[in-house]
């Protein structure tokens, strides 16, 4: 039996190699001779530890597949409004000129009921409903309608409820308390201590949002909800991620801190904010992860190794449905103008005025296939967790997407090394010349090792 | 505002009592209690209940008034409670 192509990778890490079987979730640190011995297309006996590794890496493992069959949404996303009460310097959701339009409650309720039926019919145990914006809680009444209807629909069908919101936290205490009572996961944007947060995330009119956001954060912290703090990383804060993580943990002790790099927009350009250097981000993220772990808090980078191999990094291709204020059902929560601008059509259906959910099955099949169109990822050891990143930004960025690949490869290798107890090696990998060399070198597919190294 | 203590639970809203395990309000009644207890007017509560329950506004209003009466009788709302 041989290694399947694209399933086991060798990645240089100083004088050793990371051997990675992402499908089996197996990673090891070995020398070059071991790689060569494992890659040999024979059944020659190996030292016992290596022999066991070979057996485990050759064992069949389920491969994530492009979806087929009737659509069952991974989750139901709802965007109550695209409007926002903040004026974030890097906003990529067009909030500055977003219409005040609210989603019609009748459409929201009808879609929740449709999704509840789909979950029941597919044998799912849980309804997973997620709110995005703009700022969803600006449409407080609609959020209440969605939250109550979801609970009622789930109860009627014997389902559990996962209710999540991504929010800016800038609203009255009563709204924060409602969110804390009804949502099972709350993702709060907070970029760091007061001066930094207010620089990145002012309210409309220019006043800082920090005080309101921290009041909300304390309510979320003290609630039963899983609490995640999302930090946007720019050229302005990339050097300080460890101290930011330490501060957030000390103040708020969230369940997770999510670090995401800025996606450049017209607004961010005007504010002088840029995407951070990928090498600096990888180094600083590693330090932040270490700082957070001292508090028992998980740091997360969305494209880093995760538990389940996947073919898509995001809702796209997973049949997730995102209901927009104009009653369209999209595969992605980004603005339609952004995905149209790069030649993508991510509309999957509509909800008509009578409350009927109308899916476009041809569109669903087309979007499912989109996740397989990433030729550049085939030989990359990150392919089963990064899965090519954001489909829209990937198309928009063109060759510049290389920065995303560099930081993802560096962070992935460092995470694997640290999980193997090789903290010093992870640090060295991210420093200076070794990082530059690593970022420029390809992953080595073990299935092709002999041909490449003959 | 309510005179009873209450908490949001997985399956509804529990009105707490010192002597018993309390009373669980479920479904639309739980949603109605939540809105009233958080200070919404009768009109605003009825409008939201109509959306949640897919009811005519008159039907939602009638149900709400019935629950308000029952809650006052149970002592969970002050008798003089006046909702817009």
């Amino acid at each position: 039996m041989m290694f399947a192509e694209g399933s086991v990778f060798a990645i240089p890490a100083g004088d050793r190699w990371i051997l990675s079987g992402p499908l089996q979730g197996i990673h090891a640190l070995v020398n070059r001779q071991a790689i060569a011995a494992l890659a040999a297309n024979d059944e020659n006996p190996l030292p016992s530890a290596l022999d066991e590794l070979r057996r485990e890496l050759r064992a069949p493992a389920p491969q994530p597949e492009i979806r087929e069959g009737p659509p069952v949404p991974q989750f139901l996303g709802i965007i109550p409004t695209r409007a926002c009460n903040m004026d974030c310097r890097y906003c990529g959701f067009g909030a500055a000129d977003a219409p005040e339009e609210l989603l019609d409650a009748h459409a929201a309720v009808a879609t929740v009921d449709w999704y509840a039926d789909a979950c029941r019919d597919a044998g799912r145990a849980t309804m997973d409903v997620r709110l995005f914006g703009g700022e969803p809680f600006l449409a407080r009444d609609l959020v209440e309608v969605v939250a109550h209807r979801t609970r009622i629909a789930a109860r009627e069908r014997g389902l559990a409820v996962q209710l999540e919101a991504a929010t800016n936290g800038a609203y009255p205490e009563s709204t924060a308390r409602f969110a804390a009572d009804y949502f099972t996961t709350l993702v709060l944007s907070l970029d760091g201590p007061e001066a930094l947060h207010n620089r990145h995330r002012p309210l409309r009119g220019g006043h800082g949002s920090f005080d309101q956001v921290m009041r909300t954060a304390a309510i979320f912290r003290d609630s039963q909800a899983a609490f995640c703090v999302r930090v946007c990383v720019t050229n302005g804060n990339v050097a300080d991620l460890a101290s930011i993580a330490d501060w957030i943990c000390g103040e708020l002790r969230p369940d997770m801190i999510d670090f995401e790099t800025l996606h450049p927009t017209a607004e961010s350009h005007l504010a002088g904010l840029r995407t951070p250097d990928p090498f600096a981000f990888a180094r600083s993220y590693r330090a932040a992860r270490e700082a957070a772990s001292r508090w028992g808090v998980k740091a997360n980078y969305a494209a880093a190794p995760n538990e389940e191999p996947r073919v898509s990094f995001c809702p796209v291709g997973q049949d997730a449905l995102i209901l927009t204020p104009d009653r369209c059902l999209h595969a992605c929560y980004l603005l339609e103008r952004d995905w149209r601008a790069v030649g993508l059509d991510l509309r999957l259906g509509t909800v008509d005025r009578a409350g009927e959910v109308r899916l476009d099955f041809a569109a669903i099949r087309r979007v499912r296939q989109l996740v397989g169109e990433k030729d550049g990822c085939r030989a990359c050891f990150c392919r089963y967790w990064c899965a090519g990143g954001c489909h829209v930004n990937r198309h928009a960025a063109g060759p510049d997407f290389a920065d995303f690949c560099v930081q993802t490869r560096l962070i992935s290798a460092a995470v694997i090394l640290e999980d193997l107890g090789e903290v010093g090696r992870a640090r060295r990998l991210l420093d200076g010349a070794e990082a530059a060399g690593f970022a420029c070198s390809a992953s080595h597919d073990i299935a092709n090792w002999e041909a490449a190294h003959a | 505002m309510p005179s009873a203590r209450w908490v949001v639970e997985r399956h509804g809203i529990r009105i707490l009592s010192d002597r018993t395990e309390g009373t669980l309000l479920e479904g639309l009644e739980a949603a109605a209690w939540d809105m009233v207890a958080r200070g919404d007017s009768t009109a605003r509560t009825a409008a939201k209940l109509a959306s949640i329950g897919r009811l005519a506004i008159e039907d939602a209003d009638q149900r709400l008034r019935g629950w308000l009466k029952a809650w006052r009788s149970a002592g969970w709302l002050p008798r003089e409670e006046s909702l817009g």
Side-chain angles (χ1 to χ4, degrees):
Chain A
M1 183 193 276
M2 298 165 60
F3 294 109
E5 202 162 314
S7 66
V8 181
F9 299 92
I11 306 110
D15 60 347
R16 299 287 181 91
W17 292 71
I18 299 167
L19 189 68
S20 174
L23 293 175
Q24 294 87 354
I26 294 171
H27 307 289
L29 191 67
V30 299
N31 60 24
R32 189 184 176 93
Q33 289 75 19
I35 299 277
L38 285 166
N41 182 20
D42 57 34
E43 298 300 326
N44 283 349
L46 296 171
S48 62
L50 213 50
D51 191 52
E52 189 177 336
L53 191 56
R54 177 169 68 181
R55 202 168 44 250
E56 287 178 356
L57 287 170
R58 284 177 171 177
Q63 191 159 346
E65 301 283 359
I66 292 172
R67 285 188 172 222
E68 293 179 345
V72 183
Q74 178 197 37
F75 65 83
L76 172 64
I78 295 179
I79 300 175
T81 178
R82 288 287 190 186
C84 186
N85 54 337
M86 291 183 63
D87 192 16
C88 299
R89 298 304 186 219
Y90 45 67
C91 178
F93 288 89
D97 39 79
E100 296 292 319
E101 179 186 24
L102 297 184
L103 174 64
D104 166 48
H106 180 55
V109 165
T111 311
V112 166
D113 283 354
W114 176 90
Y115 173 60
D117 284 343
C119 289
R120 179 199 58 203
D121 295 347
R124 294 259 180 93
T126 303
M127 283 179 74
D128 184 350
V129 177
R130 306 182 193 182
L131 269 54
F132 306 102
E135 170 47 48
F137 288 100
L138 276 190
R140 163 85 187 262
D141 284 352
L142 183 60
V143 171
E144 288 185 41
V145 167
V146 168
H148 289 299
R149 184 68 209 179
T150 299
R151 284 163 63 98
I152 290 170
R155 187 86 200 278
E156 287 171 352
R157 294 161 180 82
L159 301 166
V161 171
Q162 163 71 18
L163 195 55
E164 178 174 325
T167 178
N168 67 27
Y171 32 70
E173 181 179 337
S174 58
T175 298
R177 293 205 179 279
F178 173 82
D181 279 344
Y182 280 93
F183 282 75
T184 54
T185 301
L186 290 159
V187 181
L188 178 72
S189 291
L190 172 65
D191 281 358
E194 184 167 3
L196 172 62
H197 178 85
N198 283 342
R199 192 161 63 241
H200 278 183
R201 302 181 62 81
L203 294 165
R204 288 284 174 91
H207 291 293
S209 61
F210 181 80
D211 291 342
Q212 273 192 76
V213 174
M214 286 301 285
R215 184 185 60 201
T216 296
I219 291 168
F220 290 179
R221 174 196 62 202
D222 297 337
S223 75
Q224 298 293 314
F227 176 32
C228 173
V229 172
R230 176 177 287 162
V231 177
C232 179
V233 183
T234 70
N235 60 316
N237 65 354
V238 66
D240 305 320
L241 299 188
S243 61
I244 289 171
D246 199 47
W247 176 82
I248 289 172
C249 292
E251 293 287 325
L252 299 171
R253 198 70 74 88
D255 297 289
M256 186 162 82
I257 307 174
D258 193 32
F259 292 94
E260 299 300 333
T261 51
L262 172 140
H263 175 64
T265 60
E267 291 93 332
S268 67
H269 182 73
L270 275 174
L273 295 173
R274 297 188 304 278
T275 305
D277 170 75
F279 296 95
F281 173 61
R283 277 194 299 276
S284 198
Y285 172 76
R286 195 213 64 77
R289 189 169 177 258
E290 189 172 79
S293 76
R294 283 196 288 270
W295 291 89
V297 173
K298 184 182 181 205
N300 185 58
Y301 167 64
N306 57 351
E307 286 161 14
E308 290 287 327
R310 56 188 176 178
V311 289
S312 181
F313 156 97
C314 66
V316 173
Q318 318 251 23
D319 298 350
L321 294 176
I322 318 285
L323 178 61
T324 63
D326 56 354
R327 293 185 288 106
C328 289
L329 293 162
H330 293 171
C332 170
Y333 48 73
L334 295 179
L335 295 174
E336 180 166 355
R337 69 163 192 224
D338 291 342
W339 36 264
R340 294 266 183 220
V342 296
L344 294 174
D345 182 355
L346 300 176
R347 182 178 288 195
L348 302 180
T350 56
V351 182
D352 69 19
R353 297 214 173 269
E356 283 292 315
V357 172
R358 301 195 178 279
L359 294 181
D360 178 346
F361 293 98
I364 290 170
R365 284 193 293 275
R366 187 185 66 242
V367 171
R368 284 172 171 176
Q369 293 304 313
L370 191 64
V371 305
E373 296 168 6
K374 295 165 194 159
D375 288 344
C377 299
R378 288 190 203 289
C380 181
F381 75 105
C382 303
R383 64 179 290 193
Y384 288 117
W385 49 78
C386 158
C390 167
H391 298 81
V392 178
N393 294 343
R394 179 187 181 82
H395 278 73
D400 291 341
F401 206 62
D403 275 1
F404 173 80
C405 296
V406 166
Q407 70 198 30
T408 300
R409 288 167 50 77
L410 287 168
I411 288 172
S412 297
V415 166
I416 291 170
L417 286 170
E418 289 191 337
D419 287 351
L420 291 168
E422 295 280 342
V423 176
R425 194 177 290 273
R427 276 205 191 115
R428 289 196 298 279
L429 178 77
L430 298 180
D431 283 336
E434 196 171 326
F438 176 86
C440 296
S441 70
S443 316
H444 301 261
D445 185 343
I446 285 287
N448 301 323
W449 174 273
E450 289 214 307
H453 296 83
Chain B
M1 299 302 280
S3 39
R5 290 177 298 122
W6 58 281
V7 291
V8 179
E9 292 188 348
R10 187 177 164 205
H11 292 305
I13 283 180
R14 185 168 299 279
I15 309 295
L16 301 172
S17 159
D18 291 336
R19 295 183 300 279
T20 68
E21 63 181 14
T23 305
L24 184 66
L25 305 182
E26 297 178 277
L28 210 53
E29 186 180 9
W33 174 271
D34 189 86
M35 292 169 206
V36 169
R38 289 178 200 271
D40 277 352
S41 67
T42 303
R44 191 171 181 180
T45 300
K48 284 189 275 192
L49 291 177
S51 293
I52 296 165
R54 305 178 92 162
L55 304 169
I57 186 73
E58 297 79 11
D59 190 7
D61 188 67
Q62 194 175 9
R63 290 192 196 200
L64 175 60
R65 289 185 188 283
W67 287 323
L68 287 170
K69 190 175 173 190
W71 298 340
R72 287 190 184 110
S73 296
W76 299 340
L77 287 181
R79 288 204 173 270
E80 66 274 18
E81 185 84 3
S82 171
L83 297 161

